[in-house]
Every structure is written in structure tokens, then in C-alpha cells.
Amino acid sequence: MARPNWNTARKKGVSHKWQIILLALLGFTFSFGAHLLSAASIVPVIEKVPIGSSQPISNVSISHTEVPESIEQLIENGKTLYQSGQFAFAAQSFQQAAQVYQSQNDALNQALALNFLSLSEQKLGHWNQASVAITTSLDLLNQSKLTTSNAKHILALVLNTQGNLQLALGQTENALQSWQEAAKTYTEIGDTAGNIGSLINQATAFQSLGLYRRTMKIFEQVEKNLFSMPNSLLKAAGLRSWGNWLLASGDIEKSQKMLEQSLTVAQQLRSPQEESATLLSLGNAAFAKGKRNLIKESITEDNFLSSRCGQTAIAQTQDTKYFKKAFDYYHEITNKSSSPITAIQAQLNRLSVLQFLGQQPTIEYLGSIKSALSNLTPSRAAVYARINFVQSLVCFEKTHKQTTKEIFNSPTQNQDFQAGAREQAKIQNSEEIVELLNISVQQAKEIKDQRAESYSLGYLAQFYEMRKQFPNAQRYTESALNLAQLINAPDIAYHWEWQLGRLLMLQGDSERAVAAYTTAVATLHTLRGDLVALNADTQFDFRDEVEPVYRQLVGLLLESDQTLTDKAVTKQVSQKNLNQARDIIEALQLAELDNFFQDACITIQPTQIDEVVDNSNPVTAVFYSIILADRIEIIVKLPHSQELRHYTTYKPKVEVENTLEALRQKLEQRYTFRDREDLSQEVYNWIIKPAIADLEQSNVKNLVFVMDGSLQNIPMAALYDGKQYLIEKYSVALSPGLQLLAPKQKQRRLEALIAGLTESRQGFSSLSNVGTELQQIESIIPSKQLINQAFTSINIEQQVSAISFPVVHLATHGKFSSKLEDTYILAWNDKIKIKQLREILQTREQVVGRSNRVPPPIELLVLSACETATGDKRAALGLAGVAVRSGARSTLASLWQVDDKSTSVLMSEFYRQLTQDANLSKAEALRRAQEFVLKDKEHPFYWAPYVLVGNWL
């Protein structure tokens, strides 16, 4: 949330007016609540709002009318205190000012003071107080005659602040309405800056609601307004604000272009302050670009600490140049910034870059940061800066310990090296780290900032946890948690609930540990929308700050004393624990998709999972998997059985990942044989073999898999038992979670919109067999064909809107990736990104205030020439995303591209099976089609990549 603008405006000519408007934009750009360090992934987690973030604009240039000097001083004091991060004292000043204005019957200025009070209370997490203040402010304005421009300025400001509060409380549509009213008022009084601010706020709301097109329209309008301005400080700040918003929404390349234009304007105007702010944002953008590939290249570990240190392996990749560029941007700020907090933020961000480059900072550099920190005035930003510094020291200590050990053990190292090692160890000793954190706690108490105090106590506890001083760690964790609960801050609380669970587990109290973890997961569920709030590092943070909570809880629930290796074993775990573990796996699947889309717009079906399985025809069993650090856990739901089955294979995660990667490579190589079968049988033994007796006894014909991690990249149909493939015995479907299962259509209607590309487009190769594929489908079911030039997003949308096709079949290049921006389907004229897909197909678009306009969902979406991104261990997340976001009840897609006539054979057989038996499930139709191809071409390359996701009926 951005800081408010407090300056009084007494008509002082054009130059003063521009200064006022500029400050409206700067209020968005400079956020002291949680600073730019968000890009470093080492700030107090969740409180990560970089300078110029996408948090709503909360201020506008506004004047209060002539009042006695003492009241003026109250407002000025409040301004100074707020800007310095002393929000509690700022709130006191504004409260006093509001009371004075009330005694003078000055409703307008009382409303303004209450507005500022609400902003201060929001910073402190005092939502009830903030709500009372803004409601009272609006009531005063509604009772007043808002005839002057100044009065309307106040109204617009209050509406913006109300929108901020509503968004923070999860009332996104109400926030959108408030910001639209504010924009209307700004337009009425000709306030360009205020209008831009409200537009950016609206973009935040539309993106939060998952309305991609509306967000794009806001993009265009904001850019048009900014580019039409003459060069000025306002334009530099506006371009930077917009660039930061784009960065937070994940569009790094476009963000960099906006920020570079902002820097050019600032340099032409010779404004060091503007240059520093934009350089800081450019550094964040370069850093984010360097880190982007780490998500898809790395394997998630069950991190037991929420802090993450840079990986030295990155120093050997092509992304090194981005980290070095970020380092240079941050370094350049040192000689330009006049703001102590901006300078220290840049210094701390440079430390983070060094971590990812695998380099150690110099003793002098660490000393300069310590000195700068000691000179900071107590504020929330100062508290967070100390915490960030501590986290960096801890990370460097991990890598430094081994280096120091080698130096002292080596007889060839000279005394200078040994002296340097001793000095660095001295800077990073435990006593000094504890002292830094204790100062943070004390300063947070001094400024009465319970949020900052909770962070400080929590990270002090984490440091004691790392030093294995568990009683101290638990005591400080409980204190931090109590504060977070007191100010109703679930975004902080879940961290300490998770931390408490870890500590209890480490001390052998499994029962209380499970309770703490369960509370943390419940808190995370209440935070669905907030966890995916715009943040350039959200996916990166999710892997380290959110996902481990779910995984560790499942591990605790399924805990056993078994120590067998390389074998699947049956363990005695209570049905209560099994049911809870299954629910947590489902919840993790949902959280991963929320994080993938950066919104929380996925609808959860209220259907009970057991009812779905028990009532399924054909007879169905569901397999849940989760890959933990030392084992694979499988939970099986059998039809008409109240007891869940549970199997475990003890194998280190690294070995599991290596086996799965090798199997996937062999499946895509057309001439592999024995080694492929061996790998496939090994995975079969992990997942299927322990359940075979139960499956046969229950007469199961269909298997549904809710798979975890790299298992999602393996087509289960290709698993091999030593004699036959799984698809020769069972039909198979994948699900991102049965809570997301769309209901079956009451009566099947086969009519298709079929589209595809046969020619080379946009650098992609031609697909010579697509023409045959579409012709054969057209001969089997009634179809409307769009091929090559006719296959555009606009034509697809028009056709779907006109006829509501139950089947949409797209035979074109496409890519599934763990990154939202890299998941797309190729049309003739452009790439259809996944967020566009929902709106192009017009299946579940919820128009705000007009929800009755929801057309029936597509029954089946087929993507027959797609592939998962090479080297992306979580690429199948993109496939699950397409399946969910398209709104189709079922999605049939390929994991790798098969440009071969076998594709047209398989697809035509699939549709033929569906037309011959109206009661045949889609999963069984696919099984028969795959078996039909298998008889001619046995290698899984030709038939295995086609997977059915969603409703299998």
C-alpha cells in the first residue's frame, strides 16, 4: 500500500500544481511499509511490496483549507511520522486533528484527517479502526455539499482509500466500484495524475478477479495517458509506477521498457532522486528476470526454514548476466540517492545478488551496511532492513563455513587469508545477529508497530531454531504468533504457526506439531486471494514459503518407523490421518493452480470426493501421490470402501526425480526398448503394484491420478508391469484435484469446432498431418472447420459464441510450462495465452454484476499437437492450468508433439468410439483409441502422450 500525499495546496501557480500532482504519483512509487527488497527474496515474507509496487494508489494531491497553525502542525507531524514509518504515532496526530476539526464544525478537513487516519490504521493492520475512520469520513462528505474542486478532491481521495481497505479485506468487487467512482471524480475535475492512479488501482482489481481483457484495456489507457504527457517529473514517476506494476504482474520485458523510458526522462530532467528510484526498479526487474528460470529448473525441497539463500549453481548459467546487471543498477544508486533508506535498500539488494552469484561480500561492504543501519531513525523500514541484513548474514554464513574450514586447514594459505576469514566470521557471529534482531524488536516496540515487532520476534525465533536452541525458539515464536493474531494478520500468523509446528516436531511432540501445521494450512486457505497478490517473486516465494507447509504436514500425518528402502510397504496409519492427508494433497493442488494463475478465481466444487468415486461408472479408483524428501507416499480411494489404502516407497527425492526424468526422455525417443521398459516398470512398482490386489477385488476399470510434481510429466498409460502397459487393462485420467471436477453433462451432444495449422507460422514448423486429422474428424461428427488463415482468436470466439460447440478441437503448436507467460496455443496471427483462452472460449466468464451471462461450459477441449516445455520439471502444471482455466469439463492434450499420421488415426478412433456408444466414458474411448494405435505401433511415443484431464465420464 502506498503512502498518502499530505501536502497542502494553496493556489500557488502552475509549478506548485505540478508539484502536487507529482506527489500523487510519488505516493504510489515510494512505499515505506515494505520496501523494494522484495525482489531479493529475503525480506519479511508476504510483507513484500517493492518500491513502486502494484499495491493500490492510496493518495492524491489534496489541500485542506486554511486552519490555525496548531492544527496544521498536527497534519504535518502526521505526514512526517507516516513517511518515516511510525504509523502508530501518525495515527495519533491524525486522530487529534480530526477531533479539532470536528470541534470547529469543519467537516471537509475532518473527513480528510479521518482518511489519513484510516491509511495509518491500515498500515498497522487495525482493520476495524481503519473501517470506522473511512466510513465516518464518507458519511461526513455525503452530508456536505461537494461543490468546489477541493471538496471533490477530498471525495476522490477517500474513495481511493476505501478501495484500498476493501481490497485488503478481500472485497475486490467493492474495491473496484470505489476506484471507478474515484476515477469518475478525477475526470470531472481534470486531475490527470489522480485519474492515472485510479486506473492502475482498477487494473489491480481486474487482475485479481481474473479478468484479463479488462486489465489489458486499462494497460492501453494508462500508457496512452502517460505517453501523451510532456517530459516532466510527473511523467518519470508515472512511467516508473506503471513499470513496477507490470513487473509485479509478471510482464518483466514490458516492465523494463517502461522503466528505461522513465530513466531517460529522469536523466534529461537531471533529477537524481527520480534516477535513483527508477534505477532501483530496474535492478528489481533484472533480478526478477534472472530468477525466473530457477523456478522451472529447480527441484522443490521440503524446506524446513522459510528463508531461502541464493543457489551458487546459478553462477554457471546464462542468467548470470541478469544478476550482474541488477548488481550494477543497485551500485549506481549509491552515488545518486539522497535518501538513507533507499541507499540501504540498494545495498541490501546487492547482497542478495551476490548470494545468487555464489560470491562473498567484502568485509568493508558488510561493515558499511552495519554503519548505515545504526544511523537509521526507528521506523518499520529500518526494522525490516535489519531483518534483511540478518537473513543475508545467515545465508553467507552457510557458504562461508566450508570456505573458512578449508582456509584454516590448508598449510599453503597465508596469514592474510586466515585473518580475513577470522574477520568475516567475527562479523557474522551469533551474538551480533541476536543483537541486531533485539534492536529490531526494541525499535518496533518504540514506534508501537506490532506487525514489525511480530516479524522481529519471529525471525529471532528462527535464528534460535537454526542454532538448535529449541526452547528459546518456541518462546519467541509463540510471542510473535500472539502479536500476529492480536492484530488479525493471518499473512504473518501462518509463518509462525508453521514455525511452531516445526519446533514441536523437532522436540518430539508430533501431536501438537500436527495441530500447529493444520492451523497453518487453514490460515493459508483463508489467504487464497492475498497469497497471489501481485508480486514479481510470488511463484518463487510460493515454492519456499507456502508449499513446504503442505508437504511437511502430509509427511507428519503419514509418519512411520519403517526404514525399508526401494520397496513399497504397507504402513499402519489411522484413517483419520489418511483422510486429512488426502485433503491436504487436494488443497496443495488448488494452491499450486492459484499461484500459477496469480489469482484465486478457480471455483471449488462442493461435491464430496468419496461420492464422486463411489458413483462413477466405469468403476473407478483414485490414486493420490506426494513426493517427500525420503519417500513417495501413495493414497488410494477404492470404490464403495470407507477405508483408504496407503503405500510407501522409500527412495530419496533426487533418485525419484532422476528416474522420472530418464523415463520421460526414453518415452520421447522412438527407438528405446529394454531400458525404457525397466524404468517404466520401476515407476509402476511405486504407484500401481501395491494396489493391484485391491483393484482386482473391487473390479476397477478406470484409474484417476492426482499426481505430484514430476509425476505429472509422465503419462500413466505407459507404465509397464513386465507384460503389458497400464492402458491395456485400465482407462486412465488425470485430475488436478477432485474438488475441481466439473460435473458430467446430462446428455452428450457431439458437434465440434475444429481448427488447426498446417503451414509454418511465427517460427514454428509446419504440421503436415493436421489437414488429414481435421478431415477425418469432420467425416465422423458434425464440424465447423477453421484452418490456417481462418484460425484466429477472433474467429474462434465468434464461432463459439454463435453456436456453443460442446467440442473444441485445436490441432496446433502449443506449449505447457510452469510459467504462466510461457503457456500458450498458437493461432495463425498470434499466440493465445492461457488467460486469454478462458475469455476466447467464453465458457465461464463472470461479468461483474452480470453473472447471469455465463454460457454452458465446453464438454471437451482437445489440444492434439501440444508439448510440455523442455527442461521444465513442472511443465505439466501448465496443462492442468489450461484444463481448469478453459472451463471445459474435460481436456484431452498431448504431453509431447507427434507429427505423424498416428495422431490422426488416434483422434479419429477416439471420436468414432464416442459416437458408437453414448454411454461410453471419454476415458474409455481414449483407452480404446490408444490401444488401437498400439497394435500397429507399439512404442509409447506414438500413443502415450495423449492424456485426459478433468471429468473422465
Side-chain angles (χ1 to χ4, degrees), residues 611-824:
E611 291 180 13
V612 173
V613 178
D614 290 343
N615 296 330
S616 177
N617 184 19
V619 181
T620 296
V622 180
F623 285 71
Y624 292 86
S625 71
I626 191 162
I627 303 172
L628 301 177
D630 60 341
R631 65 195 191 274
I632 306 170
E633 297 280 12
I634 304 293
I635 298 175
V636 182
K637 161 59 185 171
L638 295 167
H640 308 292
S641 173
Q642 295 183 352
E643 291 192 358
L644 297 173
R645 302 298 194 270
H646 172 225
Y647 315 103
T648 302
T649 298
Y650 289 94
K651 185 174 285 292
K653 183 172 186 173
V654 172
E655 291 185 24
V656 171
E657 297 284 352
N658 289 340
T659 299
L660 294 175
E661 184 175 358
L663 174 57
R664 175 59 188 264
Q665 291 176 356
K666 296 296 182 182
L667 289 171
E668 290 189 58
Q669 297 168 2
R670 307 184 190 206
Y671 305 108
T672 56
F673 181 63
R674 190 63 201 173
D675 50 352
R676 167 182 48 78
E677 288 185 343
D678 289 343
L679 288 168
S680 182
Q681 187 169 358
E682 182 178 3
V683 178
Y684 174 91
N685 291 341
W686 298 346
I687 301 172
I688 306 297
K689 186 177 180 180
I692 282 295
D694 288 324
L695 297 177
E696 292 178 349
Q697 185 175 353
S698 299
N699 197 30
V700 169
K701 302 298 182 184
N702 180 60
L703 306 181
V704 176
F705 296 92
V706 182
M707 291 287 100
D708 180 40
S710 295
L711 280 168
Q712 296 173 349
N713 288 330
I714 303 299
M716 294 293 113
L719 297 188
Y720 189 68
D721 67 0
K723 295 181 179 179
Q724 62 181 173
Y725 293 104
L726 194 66
I727 200 65
E728 297 180 82
K729 191 171 183 180
Y730 302 100
S731 57
V732 172
L734 303 180
S735 174
L738 297 195
Q739 294 181 70
L740 306 178
L741 188 68
K744 180 185 178 182
Q745 191 178 33
K746 292 183 179 179
Q747 186 173 1
R748 178 180 294 168
R749 178 172 69 92
L750 287 178
E751 185 176 1
L753 174 64
I754 58 177
L757 297 178
T758 62
E759 299 179 15
S760 174
R761 293 296 295 172
Q762 303 178 50
F764 289 85
S765 63
S766 61
L767 296 170
S768 56
N769 290 287
V770 163
T772 303
E773 177 181 336
L774 298 186
Q775 288 175 4
Q776 290 184 354
I777 295 171
E778 198 170 21
S779 68
I780 298 170
I781 61 175
S783 305
K784 169 68 177 179
Q785 185 177 132
L786 300 174
I787 194 164
N788 292 332
Q789 291 92 333
F791 178 22
T792 66
S793 58
I794 293 176
N795 286 344
I796 290 285
E797 181 176 354
Q798 290 175 345
Q799 291 295 326
V800 172
S801 300
I803 304 180
S804 288
F805 291 95
V807 178
V808 175
H809 184 112
L810 306 179
T812 180
H813 289 281
K815 183 167 287 185
F816 305 124
S817 168
S818 61
K819 295 293 292 180
L820 186 67
E821 63 270 22
D822 294 335
T823 299
Y824 59 84

Side-chain angles (χ1 to χ4, degrees), residues 129-313:
Q129 295 92 319
S131 181
V132 170
I134 203 64
T135 300
T136 305
S137 179
L138 276 172
D139 288 344
L140 287 168
L141 293 174
N142 290 332
Q143 295 167 14
S144 304
K145 294 182 179 180
L146 305 179
T147 56
T148 66
S149 176
N150 191 60
K152 291 178 180 179
H153 265 295
I154 294 175
L155 174 61
L157 170 59
V158 173
L159 287 169
N160 254 339
T161 300
Q162 179 179 250
N164 296 341
L165 178 61
Q166 289 166 331
L167 188 69
L169 296 176
Q171 302 167 12
T172 308
E173 293 187 15
N174 291 338
L176 178 59
Q177 184 176 353
S178 294
W179 288 328
Q180 288 172 334
E181 291 178 17
K184 181 179 178 181
T185 305
Y186 286 132
T187 301
E188 183 181 339
I189 61 179
D191 187 334
T192 303
N195 188 48
I196 290 174
S198 288
L199 286 173
I200 294 176
N201 283 341
Q202 289 177 52
T204 301
F206 279 129
Q207 187 142 350
S208 179
L209 290 169
L211 303 180
Y212 178 81
R213 282 185 176 173
R214 297 192 176 194
T215 305
M216 291 300 103
K217 288 181 180 179
I218 297 289
F219 280 10
E220 295 169 4
Q221 196 171 347
V222 169
E223 288 180 8
K224 181 180 178 180
N225 290 350
L226 285 171
F227 291 150
S228 65
M229 291 181 178
N231 279 1
S232 62
L233 296 180
L234 169 64
K235 184 173 183 177
L239 287 168
R240 182 175 64 254
S241 296
W242 189 234
N244 285 330
W245 198 96
L246 291 167
L247 173 61
S249 66
D251 194 341
I252 300 176
E253 285 74 16
K254 194 167 186 178
S255 166
Q256 288 177 312
K257 292 179 181 179
M258 292 294 156
L259 293 172
E260 286 165 359
Q261 291 185 52
S262 172
L263 182 62
T264 299
V265 174
Q267 289 171 339
Q268 290 175 354
L269 296 173
R270 300 183 184 279
S271 172
Q273 183 177 359
E274 289 300 294
E275 280 191 65
S276 298
T278 303
L279 285 168
L280 203 52
S281 295
L282 281 166
N284 293 345
F287 202 173
K289 195 167 185 177
K291 288 165 56 178
R292 181 163 57 181
N293 288 338
L294 292 183
I295 300 170
K296 62 184 182 182
E297 291 173 357
S298 62
I299 300 173
T300 302
E301 298 297 338
D302 293 325
N303 299 319
F304 277 84
L305 293 177
S306 58
S307 61
R308 180 186 180 91
C309 300
Q311 300 180 4
T312 55

